[in-house]
């Protein structure tokens, strides 16, 4: 168990390292960054001055090592556009994205888990069929279009919720629906199929043979086991949501990491872009680790091996 | 009054191949404290019949019976709530698969105490004490520490002992054991059966024991029911069925047991030649006639129900002469 | 081919039978049939776009801007789905946009399918160190945030359609690799592969004639899902302005361009959005159906 944990952690660190290399070199080999910063009407002198100022005249490997050494100390360099610490920018924006992702995940779980349980218990019934149809339809809805449609319906027509921004909790409702929507089909299917498997298992028959009431059978004996893979999936989905929030933040003009990334890409502000790629990747890696840990906590067969 | 009374139990299961008539009119009764063994090839409907008593059949299965009475309660009319109050409390079941019958996510102790806490007003400590007591009676050493363990930490034999203890938590009137030892090592089989028999007689419960092992039947059963293709083809006191088996199928099964002296060393153990009939079709007459050495044309017509003695019933025409003689 | 491996001869007749069985099961699978029918209609429209006598999708007419579709009171039959902010015919742009989506979906899946299947088969077939490396690469790829990397990639290489295809193709191979790896491991254990190895068939021969045909079913299912994924991603990239560039009639771009008018003319985003949903839905239905149809028959 311990050996497995150490191995798992080592691989995670290696993956993070690889991601940092990929992010750095892809962005730095794609053209003349100094030119991009200086703009098209800059004189060659200005460009070379910028090149020296940002250390872009050094060999690429040296640049990477400098950057990586900085990252280890939470120093992601300086933004070309804002002329400000990237770390500060990210620290300002990350809370919005984390809140958006968290609320979306919560929303998705609140909808998909009970629906999945219900669909499994009433397998083949109308709830089951409606839920499955909802899943297929849900997967086909583009997040950005769903977001725009929500704005048209709830902000413009009904005037219930604000169109854009990230100031109050009301600003988070529609974006969370748009982002959470994406995770519902996967979680619901896994819950339903897990419940179906579990409900057909021998130990559920044993639980019923004990005369336990249906709620006890369903929520203690069945759900507990069916939830084990769902919890892991939820952690991973949270990672996807953080990555996918870029679209939602753009639609709803939220001051989060995603919008920062989007604008930075458009402005060719590479230090910010590579920092965000790395931050999101590390968050994702951390979440998959968390999923494994949660799995072990929930499943005694893993915990006590 | 008998503890259990079954009249004309039938179970149908819709399958892709058609309606499967898995159990076709089973009638029997069981007195308090007695042991009834049910034997028969696999697929003859033993498990389904026993699950039908507990109302734990697969969801699609349809159960019908002229009468299904337990302890004076009509199980066919009982509400789900009444049945839940009986299950685990007055009637309990031990399943064939100890490896998968316990919930992997909860400790042994939790799963044991749960039964008592559900059916009796007892404290957690009392439930725990009873669990420890029963585990010890079931032959588990250091029962106290076992309570904190999870099923995957126990061997199959231990798990089956846990299942037995679990069935006994509320001291039921009837315990149904569906091939409780089939999945276990031969050396452990005997121990488990001994535990089961000892506890049964200690608590004075009735037991329905489903088994392949006629040797076991001879040792512990009061009565025997022989099932074939969803029907009981012979029922009677174990002694009578063993000494004067009335149905050719029963005799066939008994020829399959190695007997000291009669079975020559190295001789292949007998199996009844032929195949179990397709249960999707309606069966007219005796289902065994195709595999029977003594079948005659009349066997295709009727499914006889003959009494060899007032407690020994055989569904075979060949028993007719014996009946006349009696 | 004169020297067929022994297994091929054994497999060939049963393949015919398998196909018949597939057809029978497919015909009774509502999800598969619905997906197929819709997809055939969309593909037919897209392929025949130049022959349909549509307006030129690029022709601007500023005097006829933002005409609503026919179901609105002010709609005209001349522009059934209305016009956009530059007076271009929306129906025509929609159908030409379908070409882009389909072309992009298929091309992306070909690229990612080749990459992913190659990696997955190698991992499953050789196992050991190769497997470890491939698993590592897949893990790394999964750690990269797709939308962000795709956006950055598209922005770097410029937003032509072929570049978007390339970027997405280089990103969306992970599921192919995972599925191909598992399926190869199962197949590689089968008797006919052992037999082919025993009679000395070359590795490439075994991979191409024994393994690939037998792992095709799950890969096709993945291909449909990834195609849907790619189409949605392209739409998102174009919507964010970093994918396909104007004036191409990409559906995502149409939504992006219509965004500022959506409060007063909601159909400018509804029409391409619904088209996107229908296309993706059809592909997903086809994939779901295909999975059920090709899955081993369940008990009962
Ligand atoms: N869930 C089920 N679905 C369909 N058929 C079943 C199911 N359970 C049992 N059967 C069929 O019912 C018949 C009787 O099964 P069972 O009672 O388990 O036999 P036994 O316990 O005597 O071996 C068998 O033919 C079996 O295939
Ligand atoms: Mg059985």
């Amino acid at each position: 168990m311990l050996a497995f944990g150490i191995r798992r952690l080592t691989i995670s660190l290696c993956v993070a390292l690889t991601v940092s290399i990929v992010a750095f070199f892809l962005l730095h080999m794609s053209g003349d960054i100094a030119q991009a910063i200086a703009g098209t009407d800059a004189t060659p002198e200005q460009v070379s001055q910028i090149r020296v100022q940002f250390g872009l005249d050094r060999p690429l490997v040296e640049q990477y090592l400098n950057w990586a050494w900085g990252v280890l100390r939470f120093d992601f360099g300086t933004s070309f556009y804002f002329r400000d610490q990237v770390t500060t920018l990210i620290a300002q924006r990350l809370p919005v994205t984390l809140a958006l992702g968290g609320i979306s995940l919560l929303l998705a779980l609140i909808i998909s888990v009970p629906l999945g349980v219900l669909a499994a218990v009433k397998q083949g019934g109308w709830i089951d069929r409606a839920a499955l149809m909802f899943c297929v339809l849900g997967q086909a809805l583009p997040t950005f279009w769903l977001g725009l449609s929500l704005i048209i319906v709830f902000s413009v027509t009904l005037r219930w919720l604000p169109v854009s921004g990230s100031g109050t909790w009301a600003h988070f409702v529609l974006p969370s629906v748009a982002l959470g929507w994406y995770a519902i089909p996967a979680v619901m299917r896994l819950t339903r199929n897990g419940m179906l498997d579990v409900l057909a298992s021998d130990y559920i028959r044993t639980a019923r043979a004990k005369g336990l009431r249906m709620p006890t059978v369903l929520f203690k004996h069945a759900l507990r086991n069916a939830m084990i893979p769902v919890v892991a999936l939820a952690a991973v989905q949270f990672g996807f949501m953080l990555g996918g929030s870029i679209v939602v933040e753009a639609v709803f003009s939220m001051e989060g990491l995603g919008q920062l990334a989007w604008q930075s890409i458009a402005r060719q502000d590479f230090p910010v872009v590579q920092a965000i790629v790395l931050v999101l990747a590390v968050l994702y890696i951390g979440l998959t680790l968390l999923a494994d840990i949660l799995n072990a906590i929930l499943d005694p067969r893993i915990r006590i091996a | 009054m008998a503890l259990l009374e079954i009249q004309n139990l039938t179970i149908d299961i819709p399958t892709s191949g058609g309606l499967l008539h898995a159990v076709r009119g089973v009638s029997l009764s069981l007195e308090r404290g007695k042991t009834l063994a049910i034997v028969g090839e696999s697929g003859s409907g033993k498990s389904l019949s026993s699950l039908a008593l507990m109302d734990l059949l697969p969801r699609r299965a349809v159960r019908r019976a002229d009468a299904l009475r337990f302890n004076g309660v009509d199980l066919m009319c009982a509400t789900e709530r009444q049945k839940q109050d009986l299950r685990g409390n007055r009637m309990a079941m031990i399943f064939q698969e100890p490896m998968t019958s316990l919930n992997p996510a909860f400790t042994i102790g939790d799963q044991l105490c749960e039964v008592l806490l559900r059916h009796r007003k007892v404290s957690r400590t009392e439930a725990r004490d009873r669990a420890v007591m029963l585990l010890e009676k079931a032959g588990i050493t250091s029962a106290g520490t076992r309570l904190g363990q999870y099923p995957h930490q126990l061997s199959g034999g231990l798990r089956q002992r846990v299942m037995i203890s679990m069935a006994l938590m509320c001291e039921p009137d009837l315990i149904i054991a569906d091939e409780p030892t089939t999945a276990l090592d031969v050396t452990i089989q005997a121990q488990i059966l001994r535990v089961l028999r000892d506890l049964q007689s200690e608590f004075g419960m009735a037991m329905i024991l489903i088994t392949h092992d006629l040797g076991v039947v001879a040792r512990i059963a009061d009565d025997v029911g022989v099932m074939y293709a969803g029907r009981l083809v012979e029922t009677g006191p174990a002694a009578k069925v063993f000494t004067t088996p009335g149905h050719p199928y029963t005799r066939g099964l008994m020829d399959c047991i190695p007997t000291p002296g009669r079975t020559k060393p190295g001789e292949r153990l007998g199996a009844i030649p032929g195949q179990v009939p397709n249960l999707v079709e309606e069966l007219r007459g005796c289902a065994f006639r195709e595999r029977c050495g003594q079948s005659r044309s009349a066997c295709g017509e009727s499914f006889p129900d003959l009494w060899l003695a007032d407690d020994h019933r055989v569904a075979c025409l060949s028993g007719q002469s014996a009946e006349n003689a009696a | 081919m004169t020297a067929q491996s022994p297994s091929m001869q054994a497999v060939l007749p049963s393949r015919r039978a398998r196909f018949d069985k597939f057809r029978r099961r497919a015909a009774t699978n509502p999800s598969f049939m619905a997906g197929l029918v819709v997809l055939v209609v969309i593909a037919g429209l897209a392929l025949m776009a130049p022959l349909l006598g549509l307006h030129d999708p690029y022709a601007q007419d500023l005097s006829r801007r933002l005409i609503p579709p026919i179901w609105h009171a002010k709609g005209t039959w001349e522009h059934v789905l209305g016009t956009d902010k530059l007076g271009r015919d929306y129906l025509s742009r929609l159908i030409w946009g379908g070409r882009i989506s389909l072309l992009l979906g298929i091309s992306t899946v070909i690229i990612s399918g080749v990459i992913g299947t190659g990696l997955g088969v190698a991992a499953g077939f050789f196992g050991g160190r190769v497997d470890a490396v491939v698993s590592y690469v897949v893990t790394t790829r999964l750690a990269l945030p797709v939308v962000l990397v795709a956006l950055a990639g598209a922005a770097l290489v410029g937003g032509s359609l072929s570049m978007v295809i390339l970027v997405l193709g280089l990103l969306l191979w992970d599921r192919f690799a995972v599925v191909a790896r598992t399926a190869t491991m199962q197949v590689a254990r089968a008797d006919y592969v052992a037999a082919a190895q025993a009679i000395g068939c070359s590795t490439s021969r075994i991979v191409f004639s024994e393994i690939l045909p037998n792992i095709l079913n799950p890969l096709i299912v993945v291909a449909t899902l990834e195609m849907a994924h790619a189409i949605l991603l392209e739409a998102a990239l174009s919507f964010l302005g970093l994918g396909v560039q104007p004036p191409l009639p990409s559906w995502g771009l149409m939504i992006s361009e219509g965004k500022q008018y959506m409060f007063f003319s909601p159909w400018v985003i509804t029409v391409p959005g619904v088209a996107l949903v229908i296309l993706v839905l059809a592909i997903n239905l086809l994939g779901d159906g295909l999975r059920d149809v090709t899955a081993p028959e369940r008990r009962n």
Side-chain angles (χ1 to χ4, degrees):
Chain A
M1 184 70 203
L2 188 68
F4 174 78
I6 291 173
R7 203 181 119 79
R8 185 78 180 65
L9 203 64
T10 316
I11 292 181
S12 299
L13 289 176
C14 290
V15 170
L17 185 71
T18 316
V19 168
S20 77
I21 294 174
V22 169
F24 184 88
F25 283 90
L26 271 187
L27 289 173
H28 279 258
M29 290 189 308
S30 62
D32 191 346
I33 295 174
Q35 181 73 59
I37 305 166
T40 40
D41 42 312
T43 62
E45 292 80 60
Q46 285 173 315
V47 173
S48 55
Q49 191 195 339
I50 283 179
R51 191 164 289 140
V52 176
Q53 185 191 341
F54 286 98
L56 297 169
D57 52 341
R58 307 286 174 75
L60 218 49
V61 175
E62 192 189 323
Q63 287 185 45
Y64 170 75
L65 289 176
N66 275 337
W67 178 68
W69 174 240
V71 167
L72 288 179
R73 290 170 295 134
F74 292 101
D75 173 11
F76 288 92
T78 313
S79 156
F80 298 158
Y81 178 83
F82 294 99
R83 310 276 158 141
D84 198 358
Q85 281 293 305
V86 175
T87 313
T88 322
L89 288 173
I90 290 181
Q92 280 166 0
R93 307 295 193 100
L94 191 59
V96 171
T97 301
L98 284 180
L100 176 61
I103 299 171
S104 305
L105 182 69
L106 210 63
L107 205 67
L109 290 178
I110 288 174
I111 294 172
S112 55
V113 169
L115 210 58
V117 171
L118 219 59
V121 172
K122 305 268 177 208
Q123 186 196 3
W126 67 267
I127 293 184
D128 187 21
R129 267 175 286 162
L132 285 180
M133 255 153 67
F134 175 75
C135 273
V136 178
L137 193 70
Q139 272 171 336
L141 281 186
T143 310
F144 64 96
W145 185 71
L146 175 65
L148 293 178
S149 306
L150 288 173
I151 291 178
I152 292 183
V153 176
F154 292 99
S155 304
V156 177
T157 310
L158 297 173
R159 294 178 180 281
W160 286 353
L161 293 159
V163 174
S164 61
S166 45
T168 68
W169 67 268
H171 287 101
F172 281 86
V173 176
L174 293 184
S176 304
V177 173
L179 190 55
W181 184 277
Y182 169 79
I184 290 177
V187 178
M188 207 214 85
R189 278 190 197 193
L190 194 65
T191 307
R192 174 182 178 272
N193 295 345
M195 272 306 265
L196 280 180
D197 282 351
V198 170
L199 286 177
S201 69
D202 287 340
Y203 57 81
I204 292 301
R205 188 178 60 186
T206 307
R208 292 179 59 210
K210 291 199 248 183
L212 299 179
R213 300 265 190 240
M214 223 42 204
T216 317
V217 174
L218 283 183
F219 294 107
K220 177 178 173 185
H221 285 269
L223 194 60
R224 169 65 189 268
N225 285 286
M227 273 301 104
I228 293 173
V230 174
V231 168
L233 177 74
V236 175
Q237 286 286 335
F238 186 56
F240 289 151
M241 282 178 172
L242 295 181
S245 76
I246 192 167
V247 177
V248 174
E249 287 177 23
V251 170
F252 292 92
S253 311
M254 301 183 84
E255 299 272 301
L257 212 54
Q259 199 183 42
L260 179 64
W262 178 39
Q263 291 166 347
S264 302
I265 290 172
R267 295 174 189 138
Q268 301 199 296
D269 193 351
F270 296 128
V272 179
V273 178
Q274 69 198 18
I276 294 177
V277 170
L278 188 60
V279 166
L280 288 179
V282 168
L283 279 173
Y284 177 85
I285 294 166
L287 284 167
T288 54
L289 264 179
L290 180 72
D292 280 4
I293 294 170
L294 287 175
N295 241 348
I297 291 175
L298 285 177
D299 191 344
R301 283 168 296 187
I302 301 176
R303 181 173 12 127
I304 309 163
Chain B
M1 189 185 60
L3 174 69
L4 177 70
E5 183 85 49
I6 305 175
Q7 266 170 38
N8 200 19
L9 172 72
T10 62
I11 299 170
D12 295 335
I13 305 181
T15 65
S16 50
L19 195 61
L20 184 92
H21 306 285
V23 175
R24 315 167 170 236
V26 162
S27 304
L28 55 80
S29 70
L30 179 63
E31 300 294 329
R32 278 178 190 282
K34 296 286 189 192
T35 300
L36 166 69
I38 297 188
V39 294
E41 283 165 292
S42 71
S44 53
K46 308 181 298 289
S47 296
L48 288 180
S49 303
S50 55
L51 288 172
L53 301 183
M54 304 278 291
D55 199 14
L56 291 177
L57 288 170
R59 213 191 294 183
R60 288 161 297 130
V62 180
R63 175 184 78 167
R64 281 192 212 87
D66 292 345
L68 200 59
R69 259 190 300 277
F70 174 76
N71 242 346
V73 180
D74 183 350
L75 293 180
M76 293 307 285
C77 302
T79 62
E80 185 56 33
R81 202 147 253 264
Q82 284 174 308
K83 284 184 282 195
Q84 283 172 352
D85 288 340
L86 286 176
R87 279 185 217 137
N89 182 10
R90 300 326 315 147
M91 56 193 342
M93 190 152 178
I94 300 163
F95 298 100
Q96 182 176 342
E97 307 84 8
M99 301 312 281
T100 51
S101 291
L102 289 164
N103 193 326
F106 298 99
T107 59
I108 302 301
D110 187 1
Q111 297 186 59
L112 279 169
C113 296
E114 193 178 36
V115 197
L116 204 60
L117 292 170
R118 157 74 179 87
H119 293 290
R120 301 274 187 282
K121 284 197 167 24
V122 293
S123 69
R124 223 151 240 295
T125 358
E126 284 169 310
R128 211 189 117 87
D129 291 346
R130 179 159 175 89
V132 171
M133 187 269 281
L134 284 171
L135 285 180
E136 274 165 1
K137 277 189 194 295
I140 292 185
T141 50
S142 60
T145 54
R146 292 288 181 197
L147 287 186
Q149 292 188 318
Y150 288 90
H152 74 275
Q153 296 170 285
L154 272 54
S155 67
L158 283 180
R159 289 191 213 184
Q160 200 60 304
R161 288 174 205 264
V162 171
M163 288 299 291
I164 292 173
S165 311
M166 193 185 289
L168 296 177
M169 281 302 278
C170 291
E171 223 169 295
D173 300 315
L174 172 65
I175 181 162
I176 303 171
D178 184 358
E179 306 195 30
T181 60
T182 309
L184 303 176
D185 286 350
V186 181
T187 46
I188 298 172
Q189 290 189 353
Q191 298 169 11
I192 296 285
L193 276 168
R194 192 165 323 119
V195 164
L196 202 53
R197 187 190 55 187
D198 291 350
L199 287 172
Q200 182 219 357
S201 50
E202 182 177 340
F203 291 110
M205 301 169 299
M207 173 157 76
I208 296 179
L209 176 68
I210 297 173
T211 177
H212 283 311
D213 189 342
L214 287 185
V216 171
V217 178
R219 264 184 290 133
I220 68 177
D222 299 304
D223 296 300
V224 180
V226 181
M227 271 193 91
Y228 184 74
R231 283 169 176 158
L232 270 176
V233 292
E234 178 158 5
T235 49
K240 283 189 187 168
V241 173
F242 271 91
T243 49
T244 54
H247 199 284
Y249 179 65
T250 314
R251 288 198 288 274
L253 283 180
M254 282 167 40
D255 289 342
C256 300
I257 330 174
T259 332
R262 233 175 57 196
T263 318
K264 293 182 204 77
E267 187 184 22
R268 217 177 134 256
L269 289 186
I272 307 172
Q275 279 184 348
V276 187
N278 180 356
L279 292 175
V280 173
E281 287 151 28
E282 290 294 335
L283 296 181
R284 258 180 68 78
C286 176
F288 187 61
R289 65 174 188 278
E290 319 251 283
R291 300 167 74 184
C292 179
Q294 295 147 308
S295 65
R296 8 177 169 146
S297 57
C299 293
E301 308 292 311
S302 60
F303 179 70
D305 194 7
L306 303 175
W307 296 90
L308 289 185
D310 50 5
D311 52 2
H312 189 181
R313 195 169 61 168
V314 173
C316 181
L317 290 172
S318 70
Q320 210 146 33
S321 43
E323 186 186 42
N324 290 345
Chain C
M1 278 225 299
T2 44
Q4 283 197 328
S5 63
S7 64
M8 283 295 282
Q9 282 154 6
V11 168
L12 271 180
S14 79
R15 235 174 236 168
R16 158 111 228 148
R18 274 200 316 216
F19 181 70
D20 284 344
K21 191 167 148 209
F22 167 79
R23 242 186 12 199
R24 247 182 300 118
R25 286 176 73 180
T28 56
N29 185 305
S31 148
F32 178 87
M33 290 313 284
L36 188 69
V37 168
V38 176
L39 209 56
V40 164
V41 170
I42 295 178
L45 282 174
L47 280 177
M48 295 189 304
L51 311 175
L52 294 176
L54 297 162
H55 292 271
D56 177 353
Y58 302 107
Q60 304 182 4
D61 182 352
L62 293 181
S63 64
R64 310 175 135 255
R65 300 169 61 228
L66 292 170
I67 296 177
I70 191 67
W71 56 84
H72 277 257
K74 279 185 268 172
T76 87
W77 280 107
E78 166 120 39
H79 300 285
V80 176
L81 292 180
T83 59
D84 68 2
K85 62 176 180 183
L86 297 175
R88 297 175 292 198
D89 181 56
Y90 233 41
L91 176 66
S92 168
R93 286 184 74 72
L94 198 71
I95 290 176
W96 282 89
R99 278 168 86 95
I100 295 182
S101 286
L102 284 175
L103 179 71
L104 171 124
I106 292 167
S107 322
T108 303
V109 161
I110 290 174
I111 298 176
S112 56
V114 169
I115 300 175
T117 308
L119 287 174
V121 169
F125 189 75
F126 297 111
R129 206 161 283 174
V130 179
D131 187 20
V133 170
V134 170
S135 301
Y136 183 78
V137 175
V138 171
T139 314
T140 309
R141 155 59 202 85
L142 284 174
L144 289 173
V146 177
V147 187
L148 182 51
V149 173
L151 265 181
L156 285 177
V157 295
S160 70
L161 181 59
S162 46
M163 283 299 150
V164 173
I165 289 172
L166 190 68
V167 167
L168 293 183
L170 290 175
L171 273 175
L172 298 182
W173 46 262
D174 50 294
R175 236 185 302 189
F176 282 105
V178 172
V179 170
R181 174 179 173 270
T182 321
T184 305
M185 282 180 168
Q186 281 164 1
V187 172
R189 261 190 265 116
D191 292 341
Y192 51 85
V193 173
Q197 266 167 331
I199 62 169
C201 288
S202 69
T203 300
S204 67
R205 175 72 176 273
I206 293 173
V207 166
F208 281 101
S209 65
E210 309 292 341
I211 292 188
L212 280 181
N214 284 294
I215 64 171
L216 210 56
N217 284 345
L219 287 181
I220 292 175
V221 174
V222 173
T224 59
L225 298 178
E226 285 307 323
M227 184 170 160
H229 193 185
I231 290 172
L232 284 177
L233 260 180
E234 180 275 324
L237 295 191
S238 303
F239 172 77
L240 292 175
L242 294 168
V244 176
Q245 295 301 315
L248 276 188
S250 148
W251 291 345
L253 205 54
M254 287 167 75
I255 296 174
S256 169
E257 288 168 348
K259 198 174 56 174
Q260 57 189 121
Y261 305 98
M262 72 178 192
F263 299 123
F264 302 106
S265 317
W267 47 266
V268 289
I269 69 159
T270 311
V271 167
V274 168
L276 203 49
V277 172
I278 291 176
L279 175 60
V280 172
L281 191 64
I283 298 173
N284 279 341
L285 281 176
L286 189 78
D288 279 354
L290 213 54
R291 177 172 39 210
D292 295 343
V293 169
T294 57
E297 216 146 354
R298 289 236 186 118
R299 223 164 56 84
N300 299 317

